[in-house]
Amino acid sequence: GLLQRVDVLEQRVSNQATVFAAEQARAVVMNETLANLTAALAAEQARTTIMNSTLTDLAAALAQEQARAMSTDSAQVSSLLALNSTLLNVTARMDGALPCPANSTGPSIAQGCTCNAGFRPTSVTSLTAPFVTLFCEPVLCPANSTAVLTATSRRCDCLPGFSGNTTWVPQNVSFVSTCTPIACPNTTVGTTVAQGCACNTALGFYGPPLIAASTPPFFNNTCRRFSSCVELLTQTS
């Protein structure tokens, strides 16, 4: 019975030794895993440090750029304000001696000028004297009309083949037009006189094509119906 108990104890010791060896092997693996995780954490911390340093550098560069931009804008604004002040002072001194520009009426720029009918006021600025040049530029004529210059104004007349007129509206600084195309008469074929009308030979009307005119009936030439072939040959030969 004693030998049997010794065998059992030896078996238990052997089992415990096997378990201990397995635990030791598992501990070695865990230590290696922990060492790898520690190394990875150290690498990530190093990378984070580099990124933080880069972000800090970028933030500093951005702050410098913003400061430089603000300084540049401030300098430009100051320069423009100074130039504008100089421009106003010089213009104020010179206006009293400057006459009204062409196509306008009035005593002087300082006392007031009014552009003639058909013209509108405008100006051109420069960095050299006189800094501001005032003048009156022509206003475009409406469709189907053409400009006519007079001694004191500029008007727009309807084109040949159109009836109506144009009116200068000072409040709007523009022309208002009623120019309307004249339709081809019933003795001709065509749409409007301006586009061209030919005598309707199918209805027995003969003659040269109509020519657009600026006065009623707004075309020249007429189409006639002849009473005989002899009359037709006589008139057209």
Side-chain angles (χ1 to χ4, degrees):
L2 181 60
L3 292 175
Q4 186 177 4
R5 291 170 68 182
V6 170
D7 290 339
V8 171
L9 288 173
E10 288 179 350
Q11 184 64 41
R12 287 180 180 178
V13 170
S14 177
N15 293 339
Q16 290 293 331
T18 302
V19 171
F20 180 71
E23 287 297 329
Q24 283 183 323
R26 188 156 48 247
V28 170
V29 172
M30 291 180 65
N31 285 334
E32 290 179 353
T33 303
L34 179 60
N36 293 335
L37 289 174
T38 302
L41 178 60
E44 190 64 30
Q45 287 177 332
R47 186 158 51 246
T48 301
T49 301
I50 293 173
M51 290 180 65
N52 288 337
S53 177
T54 302
L55 288 175
T56 301
D57 293 341
L58 289 175
L62 178 60
Q64 291 178 356
E65 189 63 28
Q66 288 176 332
R68 184 160 51 250
M70 292 179 63
S71 175
T72 300
D73 291 343
S74 177
Q76 289 179 345
V77 170
S78 299
S79 177
L80 289 175
L81 289 176
L83 176 61
N84 185 59
S85 177
T86 302
L87 174 62
L88 292 176
N89 291 335
V90 173
T91 302
R93 292 197 302 269
M94 296 182 63
D95 277 350
L98 290 177
C100 289
N103 303 312
S104 69
T105 56
S108 68
I109 291 179
Q111 294 174 289
C113 304
T114 302
C115 290
N116 296 336
F119 295 87
R120 63 183 175 188
T122 187
S123 63
V124 174
T125 60
S126 65
L127 298 178
T128 57
F131 301 104
V132 177
T133 301
L134 304 176
F135 61 95
C136 297
E137 66 177 5
V139 175
L140 293 177
C141 286
N144 305 318
S145 65
T146 185
V148 178
L149 292 176
T150 67
T152 58
S153 66
R154 181 176 179 271
R155 72 172 193 267
C156 299
D157 290 348
C158 294
L159 293 173
F162 291 82
S163 65
N165 55 64
T166 62
T167 304
W168 174 249
V169 183
Q171 297 85 349
N172 300 332
V173 195
S174 63
F175 290 98
V176 174
S177 171
T178 60
C179 296
T180 305
I182 299 297
C184 290
N186 56 14
T187 58
T188 64
V189 292
T191 304
T192 65
V193 171
Q195 292 175 319
C197 307
C199 293
N200 193 340
T201 56
L203 297 179
F205 291 93
Y206 296 88
L210 303 189
I211 299 175
S214 298
T215 56
F218 302 104
F219 59 84
N220 296 322
N221 298 334
T222 57
C223 297
R224 295 179 54 193
R225 175 178 284 172
F226 297 96
S227 58
S228 66
C229 293
V230 173
E231 183 182 2
L232 172 61
L233 292 174
T234 301
Q235 296 295 326
T236 58
S237 59

